[in-house]
Amino acid sequence: MASDQTHEFIPPGSRFHALPSPFPMKRGGALHGARVAYETWGALDAQRGNAVLIVTGLSPDAHAAASAADPLPGWWEAMLGPGKPIDSDRWFVICVNSLGSCKGSTGPASVDPATGAPYRLSFPEVSIEDIADAAAEVVRGLGIERLACVIGNSMGGMTALALLSRHPGIARSHINISGSARALPFSIAVRSLQREAIRLDPNWNHGDYDDATYPESGMRIARKLGVITYRSALEWDGRFGRVRLDESHVLGDGGGEDPFGLEFQVESYLEGHARRFVRRFDPNCYLYLSRSMDWFDLAEHAGGDVLAGLAKIRVERAVAIGASTDILFPVQQQEEVAEGLARGGAQAEFIGMDSPQGHDAFLVDFDRFGPAVRGFLDRL
Amino acid sequence: MASDQTHEFIPPGSRFHALPSPFPMKRGGALHGARVAYETWGALDAQRGNAVLIVTGLSPDAHAAASAADPLPGWWEAMLGPGKPIDSDRWFVICVNSLGSCKGSTGPASVDPATGAPYRLSFPEVSIEDIADAAAEVVRGLGIERLACVIGNSMGGMTALALLSRHPGIARSHINISGSARALPFSIAVRSLQREAIRLDPNWNHGDYDDATYPESGMRIARKLGVITYRSALEWDGRFGRVRLDESHVLGDGGGEDPFGLEFQVESYLEGHARRFVRRFDPNCYLYLSRSMDWFDLAEHAGGDVLAGLAKIRVERAVAIGASTDILFPVQQQEEVAEGLARGGAQAEFIGMDSPQGHDAFLVDFDRFGPAVRGFLDRL
């Protein structure tokens, strides 16, 4: 089936869980024959009590770390594995790829069984709640009634809260990393502009592109804008300053002849990020998942009061961790998560890190995030 | 001449100063028959000692406020006029349009007298120093040896420092508002991405567009990204929150049919800004002026030490003012300006404002910026 799916990028160690068919979607419609890709590490104990679920940000796949099935390093390699902060010698760890993604779970790039062609924009609208419901199906499919912990990063922080909110009792504890209980206008504006850049690319063509007409310009802009908001000015002052590129290191469309070509190291850094991303993520899937974050608001069923929405969640222990330099999911949002979960009766803590790397700190600042995650899990 | 100039937008009250011909440019080449547009308010006193020069950000024209020649409100209407913080009853105020702009001064959208066609990308590279030198020509052309004060906002804060650095004695005092002595990588990254969005628009066509093929998509992205970085998340949380648009207020490409159309107030706000900007600014001029900011570094002739570069400036009094929420020209940069000018012997002060409006605060938060500017000028 994978070879029929135009822009899916499925890690070789993926396992798949078939969702109930039909699988109803929150904003309308239903999926038929849909699946969720996941990977696991470690072994489930006899009591099925040592399971930890990881739900991810917009772009990652389920390959969070190397495994026997796929020895390549994963996107959270430093955090997950034997003896690591999320210790697979102790925990049975599951990482799911989000519904709506193009990394193995069913999404707009997948083939619609009803037509034999990719869904594209005929895919139903995807909400964070749908992603959470699909993850819950994987958990139950593995025979797990109650997770020891659900860990969510960035968009995954939203997914984890939706999971806890919609599936009471599914987890004893929660680690929310650089997440939030609702989208605020700065991040909505950034994501709206990323989506507009993709949609304005003539190649996007209302979602009807192929490999030859991939909307590369739009995806370049979206990715670079993402990277600008994922990091921080502070980090870049120290890392790049005003250092120029050597002629020999100029990436992109050339320095010499093009009067607007790359000149500064920071421009080359963005260019490298764009090159590693475009053509490796499906643009329609990007649009769908991006929009799901804008919609997410845990206050929705709590009279517009986000703390009240959080307080409806029942979890024994929780920690919300964030970086002071995060402009996309600012630390006030993680403080809010901890405060709201505490109101609901959880033993909940907020940890603000002085990481200079902004929203991406959890992907790089393992000296700070590693001990915080390990410490929480050790005390479970 | 104006009618031959494809994308110039010249305020009706403009006056023009002819630059020496040839006018050499810092990065190479020279202009022939170039001019600078400016406006003035108030009267020059007999000693020619009451002149105040305003140099602007990237996009404004010289029409800072209403005048007899052009009664329409200007871009700094609340700050400039009789009895206002920059009091035209006391001061003879000059505002110049930047060289390289499309608002009356010669720039890439102007006609090259050698060819009879717009310069486009054949225009020589424009530096902040060139903009400053052109402004100095206007000052001298008005018979002014020494300004009472030079005021620069945003990019104009760079221009003012270049003016003071390259034309010793040209001003007794300086007000630097949300400016900086050098570009740092976060702002370079943002501007680089704005330029890339314009250049990726097929209509840009290496600068060879006309009204029918104006690169509107690229300019929309550039403007919206600008607005995102000009304001602050804090302001938007209070101003927009998660408020949705009424169907009847949806701007842009429609809400109902388009699954990715505008939905939140903050998206409509960005859309409004884009609509008021595109087709009212020349894209090539935008690229040139944007790039000039990236290049600016007052440390250039001071061994890479920006404070040493500032300390070479001789000015009697100075104040650097900024907003704590500015992510594009962060307050540390205004602190740096004040510290460096103080090292050079100036009585220099830094004033950090708690304005929520970010980099744009000087254009809207008159309750804070008005008294600060008035207070400084009153004490001269």
Side-chain angles (χ1 to χ4, degrees):
Chain A
M1 183 168 167
S3 64
D4 296 328
Q5 297 176 331
T6 49
H7 289 93
E8 291 189 295
F9 307 89
I10 306 175
S14 300
R15 296 165 64 187
F16 300 95
H17 177 79
L19 294 176
S21 189
F23 180 80
M25 302 287 276
K26 182 192 177 210
R27 295 176 63 91
L31 296 176
H32 297 265
R35 69 182 190 180
V36 172
Y38 68 97
E39 295 193 27
T40 68
W41 298 259
L44 191 59
D45 64 22
Q47 296 75 33
R48 299 176 180 270
N50 70 330
V52 170
L53 173 69
I54 298 172
V55 281
T56 81
L58 189 159
S59 57
D61 53 35
H63 189 59
S67 65
D70 181 358
L72 283 177
W75 58 265
W76 226 14
E77 189 66 32
M79 292 289 282
L80 169 56
K84 293 184 181 174
I86 306 169
D87 186 351
S88 57
D89 286 340
R90 176 177 176 196
W91 304 108
F92 174 65
V93 184
I94 311 150
C95 181
V96 299
N97 177 237
S98 299
L99 187 71
S101 173
C102 53
K103 304 290 183 78
S105 296
T106 301
S110 307
V111 168
D112 178 355
T115 66
Y119 283 101
R120 303 183 186 277
L121 301 197
S122 74
F123 201 77
E125 289 177 347
V126 174
S127 69
I128 292 290
E129 288 84 351
D130 300 318
I131 300 169
D133 289 352
E137 291 291 342
V138 176
V139 171
R140 289 181 193 125
L142 289 167
I144 297 160
E145 285 298 313
R146 192 161 166 80
L147 294 161
C149 188
V150 54
I151 303 174
N153 305 318
S154 184
M155 182 182 91
M158 294 175 162
T159 305
L161 292 172
L163 181 78
L164 293 166
S165 176
R166 293 164 70 84
H167 301 273
I170 199 168
R172 289 167 46 211
S173 74
H174 172 41
I175 302 177
N176 196 294
I177 300 179
S178 303
S180 80
R182 60 176 169 180
L184 288 177
F186 180 83
S187 65
I188 292 174
V190 167
R191 285 189 292 263
S192 175
L193 186 53
Q194 291 173 306
R195 294 192 300 269
E196 184 170 359
I198 295 168
R199 291 158 53 229
L200 284 173
D201 187 327
N203 277 359
W204 179 62
N205 190 28
H206 295 273
D208 194 12
Y209 47 81
D210 59 23
D211 280 339
T213 58
Y214 181 97
E216 183 164 333
S217 294
M219 288 294 277
R220 288 174 59 84
I221 300 293
R223 182 58 172 177
K224 288 189 177 184
L225 177 52
V227 174
I228 286 173
T229 58
Y230 297 157
R231 311 299 288 215
S232 88
L234 179 70
E235 181 202 10
W236 287 359
D237 289 351
R239 184 167 171 184
F240 302 118
R242 291 186 47 79
V243 177
R244 252 74 167 194
L245 293 170
D246 294 338
E247 285 290 322
S248 59
H249 289 97
V250 171
L251 293 169
D253 43 345
E257 291 302 304
D258 182 350
F260 300 104
L262 306 183
E263 177 175 346
F264 291 93
Q265 273 195 354
V266 69
E267 294 180 282
S268 167
Y269 167 81
L270 290 180
E271 179 68 23
H273 270 283
R275 291 194 172 195
R276 288 190 296 276
F277 189 73
V278 298
R279 296 190 178 274
R280 295 192 183 129
F281 205 92
D282 178 72
N284 290 334
C285 293
Y286 193 93
L287 294 173
Y288 272 75
L289 292 178
S290 166
R291 192 67 161 169
S292 77
M293 280 187 269
D294 290 4
W295 284 324
F296 186 62
D297 182 5
L298 210 55
E300 197 173 70
H301 303 296
D305 179 345
V306 71
L307 289 173
L310 283 159
K312 289 184 175 182
I313 290 174
R314 294 289 169 267
V315 70
E316 295 168 15
R317 299 190 59 228
V319 62
I321 311 172
S324 57
T325 50
D326 188 341
I327 58 173
L328 206 59
F329 288 69
V331 284
Q332 294 87 332
Q333 296 207 283
Q334 291 97 53
E335 282 189 85
E336 186 176 70
V337 167
E339 184 184 342
L341 294 177
R343 283 198 198 179
Q347 183 188 333
E349 179 186 15
F350 160 70
I351 304 177
M353 300 293 189
D354 284 330
S355 309
Q357 297 96 344
H359 185 62
D360 267 0
F362 70 90
L363 292 172
V364 281
D365 189 3
F366 302 117
D367 288 347
R368 287 190 176 88
F369 283 76
V373 170
R374 183 193 294 275
F376 182 87
L377 292 174
D378 280 354
R379 289 192 298 273
L380 284 186
Chain B
M1 181 167 166
S3 64
D4 297 328
Q5 298 177 332
T6 48
H7 289 94
E8 292 190 295
F9 307 88
I10 306 174
S14 299
R15 296 165 65 189
F16 300 95
H17 177 79
L19 293 176
S21 188
F23 180 80
M25 301 287 276
K26 182 193 176 208
R27 295 176 62 91
L31 297 175
H32 297 265
R35 68 183 191 181
V36 172
Y38 68 98
E39 295 193 29
T40 69
W41 298 259
L44 193 60
D45 65 21
Q47 297 76 34
R48 300 176 179 267
N50 71 329
V52 169
L53 172 70
I54 299 172
V55 282
T56 81
L58 189 160
S59 57
D61 53 34
H63 189 59
S67 64
D70 180 358
L72 284 176
W75 58 265
W76 226 15
E77 190 66 32
M79 291 289 283
L80 168 58
K84 293 184 180 174
I86 305 169
D87 186 351
S88 57
D89 285 340
R90 177 178 176 196
W91 305 109
F92 174 66
V93 183
I94 312 149
C95 181
V96 299
N97 177 234
S98 300
L99 187 72
S101 174
C102 54
K103 304 291 182 78
S105 296
T106 301
S110 306
V111 168
D112 178 356
T115 65
Y119 283 101
R120 305 184 187 276
L121 301 197
S122 74
F123 201 77
E125 290 176 345
V126 175
S127 69
I128 292 290
E129 288 84 350
D130 299 319
I131 300 168
D133 289 352
E137 291 291 342
V138 175
V139 171
R140 290 181 191 125
L142 290 166
I144 296 159
E145 285 296 313
R146 192 161 167 81
L147 295 160
C149 187
V150 54
I151 303 174
N153 305 319
S154 185
M155 182 182 91
M158 294 175 161
T159 306
L161 291 173
L163 181 79
L164 293 166
S165 176
R166 294 164 68 85
H167 302 272
I170 198 166
R172 286 167 47 212
S173 74
H174 171 42
I175 302 177
N176 196 293
I177 300 179
S178 304
S180 79
R182 60 176 168 180
L184 287 178
F186 180 82
S187 64
I188 291 174
V190 168
R191 286 190 292 265
S192 175
L193 185 54
Q194 291 174 305
R195 294 192 300 271
E196 183 168 359
I198 295 168
R199 291 158 54 228
L200 284 173
D201 186 327
N203 277 358
W204 179 62
N205 190 27
H206 295 274
D208 194 13
Y209 47 82
D210 59 24
D211 280 339
T213 58
Y214 182 96
E216 183 164 332
S217 293
M219 287 295 276
R220 289 174 58 84
I221 300 293
R223 183 57 172 177
K224 288 189 177 183
L225 177 52
V227 173
I228 286 173
T229 57
Y230 297 157
R231 311 299 290 215
S232 87
L234 178 70
E235 181 201 12
W236 287 359
D237 289 349
R239 184 168 173 182
F240 303 117
R242 292 186 46 79
V243 177
R244 252 72 167 195
L245 293 171
D246 294 337
E247 283 291 322
S248 60
H249 289 97
V250 171
L251 292 169
D253 42 346
E257 291 303 304
D258 182 349
F260 301 103
L262 305 183
E263 177 174 348
F264 292 93
Q265 273 195 354
V266 68
E267 294 180 282
S268 169
Y269 167 81
L270 290 180
E271 180 67 21
H273 270 283
R275 291 192 173 198
R276 287 191 297 276
F277 189 73
V278 298
R279 296 191 178 274
R280 292 188 187 134
F281 205 93
D282 177 73
N284 290 333
C285 292
Y286 193 92
L287 295 173
Y288 271 76
L289 292 178
S290 166
R291 191 68 160 169
S292 76
M293 280 187 268
D294 290 3
W295 284 325
F296 186 62
D297 183 5
L298 211 55
E300 198 174 69
H301 301 296
D305 179 345
V306 70
L307 289 172
L310 284 158
K312 288 184 174 182
I313 289 173
R314 294 289 169 268
V315 70
E316 293 167 16
R317 298 191 58 229
V319 63
I321 311 172
S324 57
T325 50
D326 188 341
I327 59 174
L328 206 58
F329 287 69
V331 284
Q332 293 87 334
Q333 296 208 284
Q334 292 98 54
E335 282 190 85
E336 185 177 71
V337 167
E339 183 184 344
L341 294 177
R343 283 198 197 178
Q347 184 188 334
E349 182 185 12
F350 159 71
I351 304 177
M353 300 295 189
D354 284 330
S355 309
Q357 297 96 344
H359 184 62
D360 267 1
F362 69 91
L363 293 171
V364 281
D365 188 4
F366 303 118
D367 288 347
R368 287 191 176 89
F369 283 77
V373 169
R374 185 193 293 276
F376 182 87
L377 292 174
D378 280 355
R379 289 192 298 272
L380 285 185

